[in-house]
Amino acid sequence: MSTRIQVTFDCADPGALAGFWCEALGYQIQEPPAGYESWQQWLRDQDIPEEQWNDVSAAIDPDGNGPRLYFQRVPEGKTAKNRVHLDVNVGRDAVEATLRRLVEHGATVLQQPQAGQRLGEFWA
């Protein structure tokens, strides 16, 4: 039997990063706990100060196959190369369209795609 995992990202803006990866992977923001209409309602009920509402976020695969992605705010900035990254695998014919879509949602093109390269090598 396998063990389910989540991939955790330290970041400055968990909500924005979770939204980006939802767009990139077809994931969705995790629903609030049962009995709550929204995360804001749950956060208020837990007496969490509003300035902490974006301290964490989570994205899940709506089909239940992929790992949960967890984003947590950390005080320190990025000081070196990312130690965790996700490779986005799309068919050869979909690379340009996927790249354009992700740029519209905040990705930055590092270099133009060349035949045989992975999509993750093009943007950050």
Side-chain angles (χ1 to χ4, degrees):
M1 178 170 85
S2 65
T3 301
R4 294 201 46 90
I5 65 162
Q6 79 176 7
V7 180
T8 301
F9 295 85
D10 292 349
C11 59
D13 188 346
L17 200 54
F20 175 83
W21 283 108
C22 283
E23 177 63 32
L25 301 176
Y27 271 41
Q28 63 189 38
I29 298 297
Q30 186 169 342
E31 294 290 325
Y36 292 93
E37 294 290 319
S38 69
W39 279 108
Q40 290 78 11
Q41 183 186 31
W42 182 86
L43 291 162
R44 272 190 212 96
D45 195 48
Q46 302 303 307
D47 294 322
I48 296 174
E50 194 167 337
E51 63 271 10
Q52 295 176 8
W53 287 8
N54 189 35
D55 281 359
V56 299
S57 189
I60 59 169
D61 177 354
D63 298 326
N65 297 319
R68 179 178 189 247
L69 304 180
Y70 184 77
F71 305 89
Q72 60 187 6
R73 184 189 311 263
V74 294
E76 68 277 2
K78 180 177 149 184
T79 59
K81 180 181 176 185
N82 290 339
R83 294 183 184 224
V84 174
H85 71 272
L86 302 178
D87 288 334
V88 178
N89 296 310
V90 298
R92 185 174 298 153
D93 296 337
V95 170
E96 287 292 335
T98 302
L99 186 59
R100 279 192 304 276
R101 182 172 55 83
L102 296 179
V103 166
E104 290 173 6
H105 286 86
T108 301
V109 175
L110 300 177
Q111 68 184 42
Q112 290 302 312
Q114 303 296 317
Q117 284 183 302
R118 296 177 308 207
L119 183 61
E121 296 174 359
F122 312 135
W123 56 276

